[in-house]
């Protein structure tokens, strides 16, 4: 069958959309949202019907993968019903979720039953007290229960996302990597990015992918390279005899923009061709004034055509993208 393709101005094929279903979050991670952040009113956020209509158009353009994120997606009620609706769309092959895991234990079975295929859980520390310091909430045990529940529900692998910040949690690299020896976990270390105008990011806090790998190898021995799925931002490695994998997402020091295959939709309905650029396109207004599929598709094509070749940020960057991560969807 003829498969449509959505191509940007740099010959990259876009096949993946990350949709923020809410900008609310049940954590207050210091590096992610400012204490003064006010989430949008309910009516400003795309409804499930609007998300479904949009995805139906995106599929006709060649998008076949959807990730739901936020804010914290599990704070939005009945997320399983959205998954059920999206999975029924012909052409959607994969629905995944990024969550902080706090509310996961209660919902994981219904999410799996609805058709969720893959799950990433964010966890920056293995120490309960430090967790409370970083996130502003004392919920470590709930996240641990969420991770256990994800395994029990049959997700394999379960992926853990760890944002590495010098002086905050970089002393835990080896402990995180050690988890992969016994468990089919993918522990993915993410370089700290300058997102959100109020973020206290500084280049000195970025621990590069190269340093992360070196410190893990010093602690646990040689890392073997593992082949990665095309388009994945993570470079993957394995410790000898490990059941799991170690991933490095070096968005700052070795950006992977040349293979970028994704676009984002913010909780308030803006299409964002690049996470780290503030260019946005107002898709919500089109959806709300009843625009037809062709008009919506035109806007998506225009947005994708102008996708920048690379984000241009470095560890010495001054420029930060203005939006908070919670509203974009990481
Ligand atoms: N609430 C969900 C969660 O915690 O996974 C989904 C949204 S959260 C914004 C998505 C991911 O973005 C999390 O893994 C978070 O740690 C990451 N993140 C937030 N701010 C970041 C930053 N400045 N640099 C790198 N990753 C960041």
């Amino acid at each position: 069958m003829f498969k449509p393709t959505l191509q940007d101005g740099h010959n990259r094929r876009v096949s993946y959309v990350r949709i923020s279903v809410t900008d609310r979050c049940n954590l207050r991670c210091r590096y992610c949202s400012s204490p003064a952040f006010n989430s949008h009113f309910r009516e400003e956020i795309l409804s499930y019907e609007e998300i479904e209509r949009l995805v139906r158009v995106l599929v006709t353009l060649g998008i076949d993968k959807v990730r739901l994120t936020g804010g914290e997606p599990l704070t939005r009620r009945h997320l399983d019903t959205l998954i059920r609706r999206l999975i029924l769309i012909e052409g959607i092959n994969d629905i995944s979720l990024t969550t902080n895991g706090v509310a996961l234990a209660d919902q994981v079975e219904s999410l799996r039953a609805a058709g969720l295929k893959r799950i990433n859980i964010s966890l920056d520390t293995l120490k309960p007290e430090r967790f409370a310091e970083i996130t502003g909430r004392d919920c470590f045990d709930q996240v641990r229960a969420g991770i256990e529940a994800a395994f029990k529900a049959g997700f394999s692998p379960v992926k853990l996302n760890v944002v590495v910040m010098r002086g905050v949690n970089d002393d835990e690299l080896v402990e995180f990597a050690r988890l992969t020896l016994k468990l089919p976990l993918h522990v993915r270390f993410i370089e700290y990015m300058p997102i959100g105008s109020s973020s206290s990011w500084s280049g000195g806090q970025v621990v590069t992918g190269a340093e992360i790998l070196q410190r893990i190898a010093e602690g646990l021995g040689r890392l073997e390279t593992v082949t990665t799925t095309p388009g994945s931002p993570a470079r993957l490695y394995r410790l000898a005899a490990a059941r799991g994998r170690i991933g490095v997402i070096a968005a700052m020091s070795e950006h992977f923009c040349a293979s970028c295959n994704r676009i984002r939709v913010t909780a308030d309905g803006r299409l964002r061709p690049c996470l780290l650029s503030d260019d946005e396109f107002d898709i919500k207004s089109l959806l709300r004034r009843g625009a037809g599929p062709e008009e919506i598709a035109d806007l998506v094509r225009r947005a994708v055509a102008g996708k920048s070749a690379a984000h241009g940020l470095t560890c010495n960057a001054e420029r930060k993208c203005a939006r908070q991560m919670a509203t974009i969807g990481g």
Side-chain angles (χ1 to χ4, degrees), residues 174-238:
V174 168
E175 284 319 302
F176 267 111
R178 203 190 296 281
L179 295 175
T180 66
L181 290 170
K182 297 263 161 58
L183 296 168
L185 260 185
H186 284 198
V187 176
R188 298 155 25 113
F189 296 102
I190 303 174
E191 286 182 356
Y192 185 21
M193 294 181 277
I195 298 176
S197 49
S198 58
S199 153
S200 59
W201 181 92
S202 75
Q205 282 180 289
V206 178
V207 183
T208 63
E211 181 181 337
I212 291 168
L213 292 173
Q214 188 193 332
R215 286 170 63 177
I216 293 171
E218 280 166 11
L220 295 171
R222 207 173 77 78
L223 286 159
E224 186 185 307
T225 308
V226 176
T227 314
T228 334
T229 341
S232 164
R235 280 185 283 117
L236 277 191
Y237 302 86
R238 189 174 58 173

Side-chain angles (χ1 to χ4, degrees), residues 25 31-32 69-73 98-100 120 122 124 161 163 190-195 325-326 329-330:
C25 190
Y31 63 89
C32 185
T69 177
E72 172 47 39
T98 299
T99 170
N100 61 31
N120 289 23
S122 305
D124 299 327
N161 287 351
V163 178
I190 303 174
E191 286 182 356
Y192 185 21
M193 294 181 277
I195 298 176
M325 188 69 139

Side-chain angles (χ1 to χ4, degrees), residues 88-285:
L88 284 177
I89 299 176
E90 197 179 333
I92 288 297
N93 297 327
D94 185 29
I95 299 194
S96 56
L97 175 74
T98 299
T99 170
N100 61 31
V102 172
L104 186 60
D106 289 341
Q107 299 190 39
V108 73
E109 291 288 353
S110 60
L111 296 168
R112 179 97 175 144
L116 185 68
K117 297 245 184 352
R118 297 182 301 119
I119 200 158
N120 289 23
I121 303 169
S122 305
L123 180 65
D124 299 327
T125 177
L126 298 169
K127 302 179 181 188
E129 279 170 22
R130 184 176 281 178
F131 181 94
E133 274 165 34
I134 296 175
T135 66
R137 300 284 186 272
D138 187 10
C139 298
F140 180 83
D141 289 343
Q142 281 155 259
V143 179
R144 189 166 55 192
I147 296 168
E148 284 166 10
F151 276 121
K152 219 167 133 205
F155 286 98
S156 184
V158 170
K159 296 186 183 176
L160 283 195
N161 287 351
V162 185
V163 178
V164 184
M165 293 162 280
R166 195 178 303 283
V168 175
N169 63 349
D170 62 321
D171 55 341
E172 295 188 61
L173 293 173
V174 168
E175 284 319 302
F176 267 111
R178 203 190 296 281
L179 295 175
T180 66
L181 290 170
K182 297 263 161 58
L183 296 168
L185 260 185
H186 284 198
V187 176
R188 298 155 25 113
F189 296 102
I190 303 174
E191 286 182 356
Y192 185 21
M193 294 181 277
I195 298 176
S197 49
S198 58
S199 153
S200 59
W201 181 92
S202 75
Q205 282 180 289
V206 178
V207 183
T208 63
E211 181 181 337
I212 291 168
L213 292 173
Q214 188 193 332
R215 286 170 63 177
I216 293 171
E218 280 166 11
L220 295 171
R222 207 173 77 78
L223 286 159
E224 186 185 307
T225 308
V226 176
T227 314
T228 334
T229 341
S232 164
R235 280 185 283 117
L236 277 191
Y237 302 86
R238 189 174 58 173
L239 288 162
R243 292 184 69 197
R245 301 281 183 272
I246 291 166
V248 169
I249 303 184
M252 298 299 298
S253 65
E254 297 168 58
H255 69 76
F256 33 81
C257 303
S259 60
C260 184
N261 63 351
R262 61 200 59 192
I263 52 175
R264 290 176 156 81
V265 178
T266 65
D268 58 334
R270 304 290 192 273
L271 195 142
R272 218 175 146 102
C274 168
L275 169 65
L276 290 160
S277 145
D278 283 321
D279 290 348
E280 293 188 348
F281 296 78
D282 182 2
I283 210 104
K284 181 172 72 180
S285 296

